[in-house]
């Protein structure tokens, strides 16, 4: 019976049992993953009734904002605790990062100024040392030799060197301070979907038809068309045929596959074999570009190179990277934020927002799709075993 339940049903059951036991501490690891909006809201409402200590790991920003009163932000080798929900903590983090960067830039400017002053003083002392040398003097120039001896006797020749050593120590200390204050740029901060807009009236044309979903259920598709610049979100409860619709769109495309990035909800064994074959056929330059993209999405490339079985998140990043090596005109993305951490999600969101071509997205991350799309295809229940697409 358990194996026949959907992800959402299993999570509702598990959380319901946990709340029924009334524990002192409730720990939830990615409770919003794979859930449609109604199920996610039911779980959220249930957890909000809990009065004990709650600890949740999640990359769903809306879920965290509605649920949490404090957040722990974790990075490599460090973490920070901030009171307030996710958005408030993120804003505070950005303020702190700006302050750290300002301190770093000020320290670096002071370091360069001290370094320049040290170079000037060193040149001056080198010139003074040459002047106090008897090497090039005539053996009969007793007057000049006497002045040099007097300068050495009084120690005036050593004052400048002492100042130089003090300044050199200050430069070294300032250099160490600059290194300690260095603000490391987020590796997930710079990549784009470099695409092109196809010069045709309609990018996709779907005729009225049905898609069989199993168990005698089907999805009714009306006449639909998609323009080259459309930004579309497909929404609906789990099991209503969203992924089946996106897969049909991909299979029925008349444009070349090199113009499309198709990201399925889960990458199965056969899909991974296809990705692996594509990677092996890349040139060294293309492979370098691919790993550069994956690195900017927050993965350890060196670790990935020696891994026979990358994580689900890394597989998705590799598939996205392979698509970016082309110049796509269409992005078909089924739950693109699944298995990704927060920096990677924000990086992909920014890249898609700057993409000029067509985008069709399935996602239960409401903030993600609302930020990126302006057209909605909503799948609703029409009859007991049929579903219908409504365009808004």
């Amino acid at each position: 019976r358990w194996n026949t339940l959907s992800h959402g049903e299993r999570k509702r059951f598990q959380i319901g049992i946990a709340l029924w036991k009334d524990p002192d501490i409730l720990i939830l690891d990615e409770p919003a993953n794979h859930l449609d909006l109604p199920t996610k809201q039911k779980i959220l409402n249930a957890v909000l009734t809990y009065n004990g200590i709650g600890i949740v790991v999640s990359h769903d920003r809306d879920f965290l904002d509605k649920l949490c009163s404090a957040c722990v932000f974790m990075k490599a080798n460090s973490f920070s605790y901030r009171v307030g929900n996710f958005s408030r903590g993120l804003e505070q983090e950005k303020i702190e990062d700006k302050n750290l960067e300002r301190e770093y830039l000020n320290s670096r400017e002071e370091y360069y100024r001290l370094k320049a002053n040290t170079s000037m003083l060193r040149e001056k002392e080198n010139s003074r040392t040459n002047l106090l040398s008897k090497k090039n003097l005539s053996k009969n120039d007793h007057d000049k030799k006497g002045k040099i001896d007097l300068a050495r006797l009084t120690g005036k020749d050593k004052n400048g060197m002492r100042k130089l050593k003090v300044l050199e120590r200050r430069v070294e200390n300032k250099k160490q301070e600059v290194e300690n204050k260095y603000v490391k740029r987020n590796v997930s901060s710079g990549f784009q979907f470099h695409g092109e807009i196809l010069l045709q009236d309609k990018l996709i044309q779907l005729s009225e038809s049905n898609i069989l979903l199993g168990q005698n259920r089907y999805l009714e598709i009306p006449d639909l068309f998609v323009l080259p610049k459309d930004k579309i979100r497909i929404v609906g409860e789990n099991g209503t045929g969203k992924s089946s619709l996106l897969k049909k769109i991909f299979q029925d495309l008349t444009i070349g596959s090199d113009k499309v990035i198709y990201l399925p909800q889960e990458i199965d064994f056969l899909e991974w074999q296809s990705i692996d074959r594509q990677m092996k056929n890349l040139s060294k330059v293309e492979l370098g570009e691919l790993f550069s993209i994956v690195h900017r999405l927050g993965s350890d490339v060196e670790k990935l190179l020696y891994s026979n079985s990358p994580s689900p998140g890394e597989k998705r990043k590799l598939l996205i990277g392979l698509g970016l090596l082309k110049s796509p005109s269409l992005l078909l993305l089924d739950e693109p934020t699944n298995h990704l951490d927060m920096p990677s999600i924000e990086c992909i969101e920014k890249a898609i927002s700057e993409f000029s071509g067509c985008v069709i997205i399935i996602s239960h991350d409401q903030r993600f799709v609302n930020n990126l799309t302006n057209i909605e295809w909503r799948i609703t229940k029409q009859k007991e075993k049929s579903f219908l697409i409504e365009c808004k």
Side-chain angles (χ1 to χ4, degrees):
R1 173 61 179 163
W2 177 259
N3 292 332
T4 64
L5 298 178
S6 67
H7 289 291
E9 289 170 334
R10 291 182 185 183
K11 286 190 176 180
R12 274 189 282 181
F13 181 81
Q14 290 171 324
I15 293 174
I17 290 293
L19 292 173
W20 176 70
K21 292 180 178 180
D22 194 23
D24 294 326
I25 300 177
L26 181 65
I27 301 175
L28 304 175
D29 190 356
E30 297 292 357
N33 262 15
H34 302 290
L35 301 186
D36 55 34
L37 293 177
T39 304
K40 191 187 302 184
Q41 188 61 48
K42 288 176 182 177
I43 288 178
L44 179 63
N45 292 340
V47 176
L48 285 172
T49 65
Y50 172 67
N51 293 320
I53 298 172
I55 301 175
V56 59
V57 177
S58 179
H59 297 121
D60 189 302
R61 293 165 289 183
D62 284 330
F63 194 86
L64 292 174
D65 275 350
K66 293 173 181 176
L67 182 62
C68 298
S69 58
C71 291
V72 176
F73 290 77
M74 302 186 69
K75 295 182 179 179
N77 304 319
S78 69
F79 72 91
S80 55
Y81 174 87
R82 295 186 178 87
V83 176
N85 62 18
F86 170 77
S87 292
R88 182 178 174 184
L90 186 63
E91 188 61 34
Q92 182 62 35
E93 182 180 54
K94 290 178 180 178
I95 293 172
E96 292 173 5
D97 285 347
K98 285 182 180 179
N99 290 337
L100 285 173
E101 186 166 10
R102 190 180 300 110
E103 290 178 12
Y104 161 71
L105 293 174
N106 289 339
S107 294
R108 189 179 67 172
E109 184 179 348
E110 177 69 9
Y111 165 70
Y112 286 138
R113 186 183 66 79
L114 287 173
K115 189 176 180 181
N117 290 342
T118 303
S119 297
M120 291 174 60
L121 183 59
R122 187 180 294 110
E123 290 178 7
K124 184 177 179 180
E125 288 307 309
N126 288 338
S127 299
R128 187 191 297 275
T129 300
N130 291 333
L131 289 174
L132 294 177
S133 173
K134 297 179 181 180
K135 183 178 180 180
N136 297 320
L137 292 179
S138 169
K139 63 181 181 179
N140 296 321
D141 192 348
H142 301 294
D143 184 54
K144 184 68 173 177
K145 289 181 179 180
K147 290 181 179 179
I148 292 174
D149 290 337
L150 181 62
R152 290 176 176 177
L153 183 65
T154 58
K156 290 182 178 179
D157 63 322
K158 297 180 181 179
N159 290 339
M161 291 304 297
R162 283 195 290 268
K163 291 180 181 178
L164 178 60
K165 289 180 180 179
V166 170
L167 200 53
E168 284 176 338
R169 283 197 295 271
R170 287 183 62 191
V171 169
E172 189 59 34
N173 290 338
K174 183 58 68 173
K175 180 182 178 181
Q176 187 62 47
E177 180 183 317
V178 169
E179 290 176 352
N180 291 338
K181 288 183 177 179
Y182 174 66
V183 180
K184 187 176 181 181
R185 297 290 190 271
N186 191 330
V187 295
S188 306
S189 61
F191 95 97
Q192 291 180 310
F193 287 98
H194 291 291
E196 62 179 73
I197 302 172
L198 292 182
L199 300 178
Q200 56 190 68
D201 294 336
K202 296 177 182 178
L203 189 62
I204 299 167
Q205 177 78 54
L206 293 177
S207 301
E208 184 176 348
S209 59
N210 293 333
I211 300 178
L212 293 177
L213 304 177
Q215 298 179 341
N216 296 321
R217 298 180 304 116
Y218 59 92
L219 172 64
E220 298 179 22
I221 303 176
D223 287 327
L224 291 173
F225 63 88
V226 178
L227 303 180
K229 294 184 180 181
D230 280 349
K231 305 292 187 288
I232 300 169
R233 59 183 176 269
I234 302 175
V235 299
E237 296 184 12
N238 286 342
T240 56
K242 300 186 299 296
S243 296
S244 297
L245 173 61
L246 197 67
K247 187 174 183 180
K248 177 177 175 56
I249 291 173
F250 177 63
Q251 292 173 340
D252 292 351
L253 285 173
T254 57
I255 62 174
S257 59
D258 60 321
K259 295 299 179 184
V260 183
I261 294 181
Y262 173 56
L263 183 66
Q265 184 174 145
E266 297 294 339
I267 297 175
D268 59 24
F269 179 72
L270 292 177
E271 184 69 37
W272 169 243
Q273 283 188 319
S274 174
I275 294 171
D276 194 41
R277 283 195 299 270
Q278 291 179 61
M279 290 170 55
K280 289 177 180 177
N281 291 328
L282 295 177
S283 66
K284 289 184 178 180
V285 173
E286 290 172 327
L287 193 61
E289 291 177 3
L290 172 63
F291 282 120
S292 175
I293 294 168
V294 174
H295 173 66
R296 282 176 281 171
L297 281 171
S299 285
D300 185 336
V301 173
E302 186 174 353
K303 181 180 177 182
L304 190 58
L305 282 170
Y306 297 101
S307 174
N308 293 324
S309 181
S311 69
E314 288 169 338
K315 289 178 180 178
R316 297 176 80 76
K317 292 174 186 179
L318 287 167
L319 184 53
I320 290 171
L322 286 169
L324 290 173
L325 294 180
K326 303 173 281 188
S327 186
S329 301
L330 172 63
L331 308 181
L332 301 176
L333 309 176
D334 193 348
E335 296 291 353
T337 61
N338 272 5
H339 308 295
L340 298 185
D341 56 30
M342 202 71 75
S344 297
I345 291 172
E346 292 174 346
C347 181
I348 288 178
E349 183 176 303
K350 183 177 184 297
I352 295 175
S353 70
E354 297 170 353
F355 179 65
S356 56
C358 179
V359 180
I360 303 178
I361 303 176
I362 298 171
S363 179
H364 295 309
D365 186 331
Q366 198 164 10
R367 185 178 303 187
F368 184 83
V369 292
N370 287 347
N371 288 342
L372 298 175
T373 61
N374 54 13
I375 300 172
E376 180 176 290
W377 289 0
R378 178 171 293 277
I379 301 179
T380 58
K381 193 169 185 179
Q382 182 73 3
K383 300 176 184 177
E384 184 178 351
K385 293 188 176 182
S386 69
F387 305 91
L388 179 67
I389 300 173
E390 297 177 350
C391 302
K392 299 183 179 180

